[in-house]
Amino acid sequence: MPFSGAWGSASTIARMLASNVVSAELEAAGKLEGLGKKQAKQFVNDGVNSRAQELAEAIADHVRESGRFATVEAVNGYINISYDALSVARRLLHEVLRQDDTYGHAPEATHPGRIMIEHSQLNTHKAAHVGHLRNVCLGVAVTNIARAAGYTIMPTTYIGDIGRHVIQCLWCYREFHQGEEPHRKGSRGRWLGDIYAESSARLTFRKSVLAFLDRVIQENIVFVEAIDRMLKKLWADHNESEDIAYLLGCVSNQKAIDPAVFVDDTVMVKFWPIIGEQLTQERDAPPPEPDDTAGTVTPEGEDQPETMSPEERVEEWARLNATMADWWPQSATWEQEIKDTFQLWEQKDPEFVALWEKTREWSMIELREIFDEFGATFDEWFCESGVEDAGRKIVRDLLEEGIAEISEGLPVVKIDEKLGLETETYRTMPILRSDGTTLYSTKDLALTRMKFVDYGVDTAVWVVDVRQSLYFDQISKILEISGFAQAANTIHLGYEFVALPTGTISSRKGNAPMLEDVRGLMLDRAARVIEQKNPQMDRAAREKVAWQVGIGAIKYTMLARDSNKVIVFDPEEALSFDGHAAPYIQYAHARACRILEHAGWDTAAANAAVETIDLPEPAPEELSLLQTISDFPAVVQRAGAEYRPLYLTNYVYDLSKTFNDFYHACPVLRSDEPVKTARLTLVAATRVTLRNGLALLGINAPEEM
RNA sequence: GCGCCUGUAGCUCAGGGGAUAGAGCGUUGGGUUGCGGACUCAAAGGCCGUAGGUUCGAAUCCUACCAGGCGUACCA
């Protein structure tokens, strides 16, 4: 246990002893007899403080006599032992500088077993968003750290190259963009992402229209009355009066509209301009507030559901209006078309498979770019398309073994039943769709079995959104039931989602900040700041540093929060270059580099000097910096064992702060020998430790910025 | 219903059973012709969700409750 003001550690032994001694004495003296447990404790407690101090003093005297420590003091019942700073400092600095890039790393295979970490499960045919970014950052950091801590790590990824999103994208491509090429800007992978987004917009179009109408009808009485009148206009030139009557009924009774009831489906297209007219009118000439406040008192402080402003209503109406005439009539059959497209894949239609292969590669190029940029490397790339067949086989096996059964027309495993659990715990997992197409679970069962059988993995880690925790428990239990002991060693490293300040992320709704956008935003901002702070830096260096700082800031933001906490990704805050963030740490590193540069020191010079350093009277700031540097390997061990990069983000921040304290209090270049050399080696060791710490987080340490 | 997660300064969060619970942001007021001010010092600000329990000692471990979020058979 550390204590402030000196380099050493504190022992709580005197306190523990004191409580034993005091209670034994009191008992012997018979003072505890007849007292309640509570009172007895109170008695003991009263005696402990003073007694601990007495004991601490006695022990301290004894330890002091051994002469092995610089100082031994008894304070508040704790024994504070501080080391002989000079000899320990020499040893530490020597080790740090000698080990250089590997300081803090444990020897390979320090811990037994082979651990496979699967992360960064990106999708082809679809744009990645900030949630994926958290995954990549976490996966990379956990891999680096666990490896440095001496575990045998196999990083892998699992690409979603088939599944509903791919089918949707390709359906949209074939129907509406066949033969097109991307516009000037952007890669083909990104363009496919746009097509996927379009397919989602198309498929949810009816729902969006109805939800919007429903909302406006519920929220706005004036609107309802006006529409009621205006519908009569429509009556005149529409020949299906039943539809008009139906719409009229829905609106005036504030009921949801069901398009299945329409005789003529295009009535919605005709109805839409009328709505727009009314909404525009309301926006431009707001009706007076209804004077019924006496009747409906809104309780203060209670959260009202957010109502849309007139501007927002017109905006949303216009967004839907842009495609209304084109999409509404067609959209009724699109769901069926998706199902048909699914069948093309299932039947391995050659033309369709060829298209899939071609477009898949477009996306893969982009994925490799993302992985390169964020420092993700993999021993193996798994793909969903590669485990579908193995998935069907495992389903057959499970059925044969009686582990799975057909229920409600599809194969499922009733896990609780198989485990003999009375209370519902793992529930029932479907493992294949009733139409024979594969589910995510089909493929994950097969893949996880492959990890055990073909890769000899002892521990399988999934870095996946925390909402899938029941799902992974189910996968794990099913494999355990079918005889895989390793299934007990599967770890779901879940993390919470990344949200915008205004609401939840959902790529389907198109309001998610895309990985690409966040990246661009951060790089621009970093470039601007560097230009402002360091205008004399040459262009090439500036671009490189802007990249290091921008990406570093993203990574630090993603890692400096516990996995089970939601990150509210406020671009403004993430872009802040002050305080508890990557640039502060990178800056400390750059300053350390600059000091060494001024002194003309390189690694060799530091190594040569460390043998003979002398620190006659170490300052508290020096001691605390030494102590922090010496903590590094233990931090790596803890972060590795628990898969928690957070310990390291905290550590590098702490080290930077300690270093800032040090150089603020202790001049390096301006001090006299031998202090100057001693301090320079301290700076050199700080630089090494900071660089190594950042490297484990996947963050670059620029030498100037 | 059941299960998982969260609750600490105005806000965002650290906190490995131990000393007076710490940072950043924000607020207020200071510092340096300096090894680059992307720095630094200080002040103000806390029934650590509530109530019990374990312990010499609990923000930390256990139980119950309250509040919020998420999950809960053919989404991924």
Side-chain angles (χ1 to χ4, degrees), chain A residues 509-528:
Chain A
K509 286 176 190 153
N511 63 351
M514 291 296 142
L515 184 151
E516 195 53 39
D517 300 336
V518 172
R519 187 197 98 98
L521 205 66
M522 296 296 278
L523 292 187
D524 284 353
R525 166 73 182 244
R528 274 210 308 282

Side-chain angles (χ1 to χ4, degrees), chain A residues 551-596:
Chain A
I551 300 293
I554 295 176
K555 289 194 168 191
Y556 197 87
T557 308
M558 291 294 170
L559 296 171
R561 194 137 307 164
D562 205 73
S563 311
N564 51 19
K565 288 231 168 77
V566 173
I567 293 180
V568 178
F569 194 90
D570 183 352
E572 280 306 308
E573 207 168 301
L575 288 166
S576 162
F577 281 72
D578 306 313
H580 194 164
Y584 175 89
I585 300 152
Q586 291 172 315
Y587 181 64
H589 176 265
R591 287 186 97 162
C593 289
R594 185 49 61 93
I595 293 172
L596 295 170

Side-chain angles (χ1 to χ4, degrees), chain A residues 385-421:
Chain A
S385 63
V387 288
E388 282 197 313
D389 293 341
R392 289 206 175 78
K393 183 175 183 314
I394 204 173
V395 170
R396 281 197 302 274
D397 293 347
L398 289 170
L399 283 168
E400 271 174 31
E401 291 162 25
I403 294 168
E405 62 198 272
I406 304 291
S407 165
E408 295 174 30
L410 68 154
V412 301
V413 179
K414 296 187 172 169
I415 306 172
D416 289 337
E417 207 174 277
K418 293 294 169 218
L419 290 172
L421 296 173

